[in-house]
Amino acid sequence: MAAHSSATKVTRRNIEVMAAALPVDDRQDFDDAGRGLVGRAEERQVRTDDGRVVWDLDAYDFLRDTVARDTANPSLWRQGQLLVEDGLFEVVPGIYQVRGYDLSIMSIIEGESGVIVIDPLVTKETARAAFSLYTAHRGERPVRAMIYTHSHIDHFGGVKGIITEEQVAAGDLQVIAPQGFMHHAIAENVFAGTAMARRAGYMFGAALERGPTGQIGTGLGQTTSTGETTLIPPTVDITHTGQTLTIDGVEIAFQLTPGTEAPAEMNFYFPQHRALCTAENTSHTLHNILTIRGAVVRDAHAWAHYLTETLDLWEAELEVVFASHHWPTWGRERAVEFLAMQRDMYLYLHDQTLRLINQGYTGAEIAEMIEVPPTLEQQWHTHGYYGSVSHNVKAIYQRYMGWYDANPANLWPHPPEILAVRYVDAMGGRDAALAVARRAWDEGDYRWCAEVGKHLVFADDADTEARSVLADALEQLGFGAENGTWRNAYLAGATELRMGNFGTPATAASADLLGALTVAQVFDSIAIRIDGPRAWDEHLRIAWRITDEDTTYLTELRNGAFNHRVVTATPESVSAFTLTRRTLIGLVTGTVDVSAALRDGTVGLNGDPAILDRLVALLAPVDPDFNIVTP
Ligand SMILES: [Zn+2]
């Protein structure tokens, strides 16, 4: 069957039932998303210096002024319509936002002589374009400070589109971030980066066509830009709640919120404007307790707790709340209610999941049982466009209970391919199993159709009929999904079943991110690439004198495990390399040639030059193109 099927009668009916319960008369978000518009860009594409388009402001024009087709959930369609409202907006006099230029948005606070920029988007090209839209309307003003609200790349990656390392080094401006920012900004990509990037291709739908049968957004923003990600390390850490700064005449009071939406995150308040920035701790969606690209599970309880503290700190005076995704909420009453509703949602999911866990239910069961209170359901911003009640409940279960549901039948099942062969056999063989899948399709039970289809494809991935049935089922699930990341994942799976593996569409870590690795992180990243079985019989000890840190590390490979520690002196008879942290990173990433570096003295060596080759020979490649919907 060809791609881009239409919605079935069942999907259309499911969508109609769902749509009937939506608060369609509440049009406030459209007023808010358009409020304060100063101007839009005439140039609609953002390009790299050599002309490649990294962002297209008109890519989602099909959403504008239309009703959802039956191949899309109208609630998600509406969210996309709100998110494509691009331009420079005045939040209150002195506070501006550029929205529609990336997954995230940028805020700009005007001071006495210059500006403070909050969260410079994902890549330097979109950040530059967004900031130039600001200056086109408000004039050239020097940047006095850059604030990163948290450690996710869509909140710092575009920094070099606006400021330079030289400006920061010269002390012309401060770069402000929550404590722990650098560690977490880099750490997330060290251990599981390759797999997360491949899975992000499913979650964001980067390889999908934009259009009513394809990618229509991700709920948080439409998608991510594809330019260059950059990083300039912070110069000022926010270490505690109650800390204040005055920059260029602008007073800022901070609330540290570690372990919420990100491990290092903060909210902050501008008393002169009565304006609160909530980073990504509140947004116009139910956010992720666990993102489906994969991550360490977040703490819904801490998240809710910090929002209560936010209310405690500023509910008596704030007049507007804005964040680094979506549009602001104006008026104290509405803003406070918005914050409280967001808090209630995370707290309710957390507490009710635990109530049901303690009644013996498992994540998969609770996800189907849990009912969101009607008062929350009647708010648009509590709907699951990015996170979902279903996968957040499973995440909360995972945080407290882990992957195992305590049923010993699930303690040691066969792995997927072996299970698949056995299930297909148990259903009476391939033809009978295919008939089961087709019957499920005819009955509109696409979840069961996908389950059976999954086993058929894992039993024989060359079975084109099975692939087609599974692709069709995933596609219908995608068309019906209110959640943008679910839709993208379903449609990405259908696409790969029909057209083959699209690999990892997004680029890997940039030079700036790699360059920010600490020495310990470099050794950790080597350790996870050691091919264990091949290394069983090796015993290697190497000393690394890092000149710019005046520190010596001793690494040791034994039993296939590569450990590292700081030592006060190089032990006897251990080969020692002398180099800078940057050169070490270059050696590992392949931008520095070992023998050339040894010849020209960039790397010093006291000992056996062959020892490095022995280590490198044990490194295994990563696979950014691993299979997901096929074995
Ligand atoms: Zn973000």
PDB file of all heavy atoms in Angstrom, residues 301-323:
ATOM      1  N   HIS A 301       7.140  15.175  41.058  1.00  0.00           N
ATOM      2  CA  HIS A 301       6.867  15.711  42.391  1.00  0.00           C
ATOM      3  C   HIS A 301       7.668  16.988  42.624  1.00  0.00           C
ATOM      4  O   HIS A 301       7.140  18.014  43.075  1.00  0.00           O
ATOM      5  CB  HIS A 301       7.195  14.658  43.453  1.00  0.00           C
ATOM      6  CG  HIS A 301       6.746  15.045  44.822  1.00  0.00           C
ATOM      7  ND1 HIS A 301       7.625  15.498  45.797  1.00  0.00           N
ATOM      8  CD2 HIS A 301       5.519  15.061  45.378  1.00  0.00           C
ATOM      9  CE1 HIS A 301       6.929  15.777  46.888  1.00  0.00           C
ATOM     10  NE2 HIS A 301       5.670  15.520  46.670  1.00  0.00           N
ATOM     11  N   ALA A 302       8.972  16.961  42.291  1.00  0.00           N
ATOM     12  CA  ALA A 302       9.802  18.159  42.440  1.00  0.00           C
ATOM     13  C   ALA A 302       9.289  19.275  41.531  1.00  0.00           C
ATOM     14  O   ALA A 302       9.242  20.448  41.920  1.00  0.00           O
ATOM     15  CB  ALA A 302      11.253  17.823  42.093  1.00  0.00           C
ATOM     16  N   TRP A 303       8.901  18.909  40.344  1.00  0.00           N
ATOM     17  CA  TRP A 303       8.390  19.875  39.364  1.00  0.00           C
ATOM     18  C   TRP A 303       7.201  20.644  39.964  1.00  0.00           C
ATOM     19  O   TRP A 303       7.168  21.881  39.965  1.00  0.00           O
ATOM     20  CB  TRP A 303       7.981  19.110  38.102  1.00  0.00           C
ATOM     21  CG  TRP A 303       7.806  19.907  36.850  1.00  0.00           C
ATOM     22  CD1 TRP A 303       7.378  21.201  36.727  1.00  0.00           C
ATOM     23  CD2 TRP A 303       8.060  19.428  35.525  1.00  0.00           C
ATOM     24  NE1 TRP A 303       7.339  21.559  35.406  1.00  0.00           N
ATOM     25  CE2 TRP A 303       7.748  20.487  34.640  1.00  0.00           C
ATOM     26  CE3 TRP A 303       8.495  18.219  34.983  1.00  0.00           C
ATOM     27  CZ2 TRP A 303       7.873  20.357  33.243  1.00  0.00           C
ATOM     28  CZ3 TRP A 303       8.612  18.092  33.603  1.00  0.00           C
ATOM     29  CH2 TRP A 303       8.311  19.152  32.752  1.00  0.00           C
ATOM     30  N   ALA A 304       6.239  19.888  40.492  1.00  0.00           N
ATOM     31  CA  ALA A 304       5.058  20.519  41.096  1.00  0.00           C
ATOM     32  C   ALA A 304       5.445  21.350  42.316  1.00  0.00           C
ATOM     33  O   ALA A 304       4.959  22.471  42.509  1.00  0.00           O
ATOM     34  CB  ALA A 304       4.048  19.443  41.476  1.00  0.00           C
ATOM     35  N   HIS A 305       6.337  20.795  43.125  1.00  0.00           N
ATOM     36  CA  HIS A 305       6.778  21.496  44.336  1.00  0.00           C
ATOM     37  C   HIS A 305       7.373  22.867  43.992  1.00  0.00           C
ATOM     38  O   HIS A 305       7.072  23.880  44.636  1.00  0.00           O
ATOM     39  CB  HIS A 305       7.803  20.646  45.089  1.00  0.00           C
ATOM     40  CG  HIS A 305       8.661  21.432  46.025  1.00  0.00           C
ATOM     41  ND1 HIS A 305       8.203  21.859  47.262  1.00  0.00           N
ATOM     42  CD2 HIS A 305       9.921  21.912  45.895  1.00  0.00           C
ATOM     43  CE1 HIS A 305       9.161  22.567  47.859  1.00  0.00           C
ATOM     44  NE2 HIS A 305      10.217  22.602  47.056  1.00  0.00           N
ATOM     45  N   TYR A 306       8.227  22.902  42.978  1.00  0.00           N
ATOM     46  CA  TYR A 306       8.860  24.180  42.626  1.00  0.00           C
ATOM     47  C   TYR A 306       7.846  25.179  42.071  1.00  0.00           C
ATOM     48  O   TYR A 306       7.987  26.383  42.262  1.00  0.00           O
ATOM     49  CB  TYR A 306      10.009  23.955  41.641  1.00  0.00           C
ATOM     50  CG  TYR A 306      11.276  23.492  42.335  1.00  0.00           C
ATOM     51  CD1 TYR A 306      11.826  22.258  42.080  1.00  0.00           C
ATOM     52  CD2 TYR A 306      11.910  24.317  43.270  1.00  0.00           C
ATOM     53  CE1 TYR A 306      12.991  21.835  42.727  1.00  0.00           C
ATOM     54  CE2 TYR A 306      13.063  23.909  43.925  1.00  0.00           C
ATOM     55  CZ  TYR A 306      13.603  22.663  43.647  1.00  0.00           C
ATOM     56  OH  TYR A 306      14.730  22.256  44.294  1.00  0.00           O
ATOM     57  N   LEU A 307       6.807  24.692  41.384  1.00  0.00           N
ATOM     58  CA  LEU A 307       5.789  25.630  40.888  1.00  0.00           C
ATOM     59  C   LEU A 307       4.979  26.208  42.051  1.00  0.00           C
ATOM     60  O   LEU A 307       4.561  27.365  42.007  1.00  0.00           O
ATOM     61  CB  LEU A 307       4.883  24.943  39.859  1.00  0.00           C
ATOM     62  CG  LEU A 307       5.557  24.692  38.500  1.00  0.00           C
ATOM     63  CD1 LEU A 307       4.616  23.934  37.564  1.00  0.00           C
ATOM     64  CD2 LEU A 307       6.009  26.002  37.846  1.00  0.00           C
ATOM     65  N   THR A 308       4.778  25.426  43.085  1.00  0.00           N
ATOM     66  CA  THR A 308       4.139  25.967  44.294  1.00  0.00           C
ATOM     67  C   THR A 308       5.017  27.075  44.890  1.00  0.00           C
ATOM     68  O   THR A 308       4.532  28.138  45.286  1.00  0.00           O
ATOM     69  CB  THR A 308       3.917  24.853  45.341  1.00  0.00           C
ATOM     70  OG1 THR A 308       3.086  23.853  44.755  1.00  0.00           O
ATOM     71  CG2 THR A 308       3.242  25.393  46.589  1.00  0.00           C
ATOM     72  N   GLU A 309       6.313  26.816  44.911  1.00  0.00           N
ATOM     73  CA  GLU A 309       7.244  27.833  45.431  1.00  0.00           C
ATOM     74  C   GLU A 309       7.224  29.094  44.550  1.00  0.00           C
ATOM     75  O   GLU A 309       7.287  30.225  45.054  1.00  0.00           O
ATOM     76  CB  GLU A 309       8.665  27.252  45.493  1.00  0.00           C
ATOM     77  CG  GLU A 309       9.664  28.150  46.183  1.00  0.00           C
ATOM     78  CD  GLU A 309      11.066  27.556  46.190  1.00  0.00           C
ATOM     79  OE1 GLU A 309      11.680  27.430  45.106  1.00  0.00           O
ATOM     80  OE2 GLU A 309      11.552  27.219  47.286  1.00  0.00           O
ATOM     81  N   THR A 310       7.113  28.896  43.242  1.00  0.00           N
ATOM     82  CA  THR A 310       7.020  30.032  42.321  1.00  0.00           C
ATOM     83  C   THR A 310       5.826  30.911  42.679  1.00  0.00           C
ATOM     84  O   THR A 310       5.913  32.145  42.743  1.00  0.00           O
ATOM     85  CB  THR A 310       6.861  29.525  40.867  1.00  0.00           C
ATOM     86  OG1 THR A 310       7.884  28.585  40.581  1.00  0.00           O
ATOM     87  CG2 THR A 310       6.917  30.680  39.877  1.00  0.00           C
ATOM     88  N   LEU A 311       4.686  30.250  42.919  1.00  0.00           N
ATOM     89  CA  LEU A 311       3.479  30.980  43.302  1.00  0.00           C
ATOM     90  C   LEU A 311       3.694  31.725  44.619  1.00  0.00           C
ATOM     91  O   LEU A 311       3.349  32.895  44.753  1.00  0.00           O
ATOM     92  CB  LEU A 311       2.289  30.010  43.421  1.00  0.00           C
ATOM     93  CG  LEU A 311       1.738  29.510  42.082  1.00  0.00           C
ATOM     94  CD1 LEU A 311       0.907  28.249  42.264  1.00  0.00           C
ATOM     95  CD2 LEU A 311       0.900  30.608  41.416  1.00  0.00           C
ATOM     96  N   ASP A 312       4.285  31.036  45.578  1.00  0.00           N
ATOM     97  CA  ASP A 312       4.604  31.637  46.872  1.00  0.00           C
ATOM     98  C   ASP A 312       5.415  32.912  46.714  1.00  0.00           C
ATOM     99  O   ASP A 312       5.178  33.917  47.383  1.00  0.00           O
ATOM    100  CB  ASP A 312       5.480  30.654  47.665  1.00  0.00           C
ATOM    101  CG  ASP A 312       4.713  30.022  48.795  1.00  0.00           C
ATOM    102  OD1 ASP A 312       3.522  30.339  48.939  1.00  0.00           O
ATOM    103  OD2 ASP A 312       5.327  29.213  49.524  1.00  0.00           O
ATOM    104  N   LEU A 313       6.392  32.853  45.824  1.00  0.00           N
ATOM    105  CA  LEU A 313       7.319  33.973  45.669  1.00  0.00           C
ATOM    106  C   LEU A 313       6.660  35.176  44.991  1.00  0.00           C
ATOM    107  O   LEU A 313       6.886  36.308  45.396  1.00  0.00           O
ATOM    108  CB  LEU A 313       8.533  33.524  44.849  1.00  0.00           C
ATOM    109  CG  LEU A 313       9.535  32.600  45.556  1.00  0.00           C
ATOM    110  CD1 LEU A 313      10.473  31.946  44.543  1.00  0.00           C
ATOM    111  CD2 LEU A 313      10.336  33.390  46.590  1.00  0.00           C
ATOM    112  N   TRP A 314       5.845  34.944  43.965  1.00  0.00           N
ATOM    113  CA  TRP A 314       5.478  36.068  43.110  1.00  0.00           C
ATOM    114  C   TRP A 314       3.994  36.209  42.761  1.00  0.00           C
ATOM    115  O   TRP A 314       3.615  37.107  42.035  1.00  0.00           O
ATOM    116  CB  TRP A 314       6.303  36.006  41.805  1.00  0.00           C
ATOM    117  CG  TRP A 314       7.773  36.157  42.086  1.00  0.00           C
ATOM    118  CD1 TRP A 314       8.396  37.194  42.730  1.00  0.00           C
ATOM    119  CD2 TRP A 314       8.818  35.229  41.757  1.00  0.00           C
ATOM    120  NE1 TRP A 314       9.750  36.971  42.821  1.00  0.00           N
ATOM    121  CE2 TRP A 314      10.045  35.775  42.227  1.00  0.00           C
ATOM    122  CE3 TRP A 314       8.863  33.998  41.104  1.00  0.00           C
ATOM    123  CZ2 TRP A 314      11.274  35.123  42.064  1.00  0.00           C
ATOM    124  CZ3 TRP A 314      10.073  33.355  40.941  1.00  0.00           C
ATOM    125  CH2 TRP A 314      11.269  33.911  41.426  1.00  0.00           C
ATOM    126  N   GLU A 315       3.135  35.335  43.301  1.00  0.00           N
ATOM    127  CA  GLU A 315       1.732  35.401  42.867  1.00  0.00           C
ATOM    128  C   GLU A 315       1.059  36.704  43.286  1.00  0.00           C
ATOM    129  O   GLU A 315       0.088  37.130  42.674  1.00  0.00           O
ATOM    130  CB  GLU A 315       0.934  34.201  43.376  1.00  0.00           C
ATOM    131  CG  GLU A 315       0.711  34.197  44.879  1.00  0.00           C
ATOM    132  CD  GLU A 315      -0.079  32.973  45.350  1.00  0.00           C
ATOM    133  OE1 GLU A 315      -0.785  32.369  44.528  1.00  0.00           O
ATOM    134  OE2 GLU A 315       0.026  32.644  46.544  1.00  0.00           O
ATOM    135  N   ALA A 316       1.572  37.357  44.320  1.00  0.00           N
ATOM    136  CA  ALA A 316       0.920  38.571  44.804  1.00  0.00           C
ATOM    137  C   ALA A 316       1.188  39.772  43.894  1.00  0.00           C
ATOM    138  O   ALA A 316       0.474  40.764  43.947  1.00  0.00           O
ATOM    139  CB  ALA A 316       1.387  38.878  46.225  1.00  0.00           C
ATOM    140  N   GLU A 317       2.239  39.680  43.073  1.00  0.00           N
ATOM    141  CA  GLU A 317       2.571  40.890  42.303  1.00  0.00           C
ATOM    142  C   GLU A 317       2.657  40.703  40.802  1.00  0.00           C
ATOM    143  O   GLU A 317       2.544  41.665  40.049  1.00  0.00           O
ATOM    144  CB  GLU A 317       3.884  41.500  42.824  1.00  0.00           C
ATOM    145  CG  GLU A 317       4.920  40.507  43.273  1.00  0.00           C
ATOM    146  CD  GLU A 317       6.188  41.191  43.772  1.00  0.00           C
ATOM    147  OE1 GLU A 317       6.650  42.134  43.119  1.00  0.00           O
ATOM    148  OE2 GLU A 317       6.723  40.769  44.814  1.00  0.00           O
ATOM    149  N   LEU A 318       2.867  39.466  40.325  1.00  0.00           N
ATOM    150  CA  LEU A 318       3.133  39.315  38.889  1.00  0.00           C
ATOM    151  C   LEU A 318       1.926  39.739  38.036  1.00  0.00           C
ATOM    152  O   LEU A 318       0.777  39.636  38.466  1.00  0.00           O
ATOM    153  CB  LEU A 318       3.544  37.883  38.563  1.00  0.00           C
ATOM    154  CG  LEU A 318       2.519  36.773  38.674  1.00  0.00           C
ATOM    155  CD1 LEU A 318       1.728  36.599  37.391  1.00  0.00           C
ATOM    156  CD2 LEU A 318       3.225  35.472  38.988  1.00  0.00           C
ATOM    157  N   GLU A 319       2.226  40.257  36.837  1.00  0.00           N
ATOM    158  CA  GLU A 319       1.160  40.673  35.914  1.00  0.00           C
ATOM    159  C   GLU A 319       1.201  39.905  34.600  1.00  0.00           C
ATOM    160  O   GLU A 319       0.256  39.947  33.818  1.00  0.00           O
ATOM    161  CB  GLU A 319       1.252  42.185  35.629  1.00  0.00           C
ATOM    162  CG  GLU A 319       0.875  43.062  36.818  1.00  0.00           C
ATOM    163  CD  GLU A 319      -0.593  42.949  37.227  1.00  0.00           C
ATOM    164  OE1 GLU A 319      -1.401  42.457  36.419  1.00  0.00           O
ATOM    165  OE2 GLU A 319      -0.914  43.334  38.379  1.00  0.00           O
ATOM    166  N   VAL A 320       2.336  39.240  34.347  1.00  0.00           N
ATOM    167  CA  VAL A 320       2.432  38.447  33.114  1.00  0.00           C
ATOM    168  C   VAL A 320       3.424  37.318  33.356  1.00  0.00           C
ATOM    169  O   VAL A 320       4.403  37.485  34.088  1.00  0.00           O
ATOM    170  CB  VAL A 320       2.853  39.320  31.907  1.00  0.00           C
ATOM    171  CG1 VAL A 320       4.233  39.937  32.102  1.00  0.00           C
ATOM    172  CG2 VAL A 320       2.823  38.519  30.594  1.00  0.00           C
ATOM    173  N   VAL A 321       3.133  36.153  32.790  1.00  0.00           N
ATOM    174  CA  VAL A 321       4.076  35.038  32.855  1.00  0.00           C
ATOM    175  C   VAL A 321       4.416  34.622  31.423  1.00  0.00           C
ATOM    176  O   VAL A 321       3.538  34.508  30.577  1.00  0.00           O
ATOM    177  CB  VAL A 321       3.520  33.853  33.690  1.00  0.00           C
ATOM    178  CG1 VAL A 321       2.195  33.337  33.154  1.00  0.00           C
ATOM    179  CG2 VAL A 321       4.538  32.717  33.767  1.00  0.00           C
ATOM    180  N   PHE A 322       5.727  34.501  31.182  1.00  0.00           N
ATOM    181  CA  PHE A 322       6.154  34.018  29.864  1.00  0.00           C
ATOM    182  C   PHE A 322       7.207  32.934  30.061  1.00  0.00           C
ATOM    183  O   PHE A 322       7.760  32.775  31.152  1.00  0.00           O
ATOM    184  CB  PHE A 322       6.691  35.167  28.994  1.00  0.00           C
ATOM    185  CG  PHE A 322       7.942  35.834  29.505  1.00  0.00           C
ATOM    186  CD1 PHE A 322       9.206  35.428  29.056  1.00  0.00           C
ATOM    187  CD2 PHE A 322       7.875  36.883  30.415  1.00  0.00           C
ATOM    188  CE1 PHE A 322      10.360  36.044  29.510  1.00  0.00           C
ATOM    189  CE2 PHE A 322       9.039  37.504  30.888  1.00  0.00           C
ATOM    190  CZ  PHE A 322      10.283  37.083  30.426  1.00  0.00           C
ATOM    191  N   ALA A 323       7.449  32.174  29.001  1.00  0.00           N
ATOM    192  CA  ALA A 323       8.382  31.055  29.097  1.00  0.00           C
ATOM    193  C   ALA A 323       9.222  31.021  27.819  1.00  0.00           C
ATOM    194  O   ALA A 323       9.213  31.976  27.051  1.00  0.00           O
ATOM    195  CB  ALA A 323       7.617  29.758  29.300  1.00  0.00           C
TER     196      ALA A 323
END
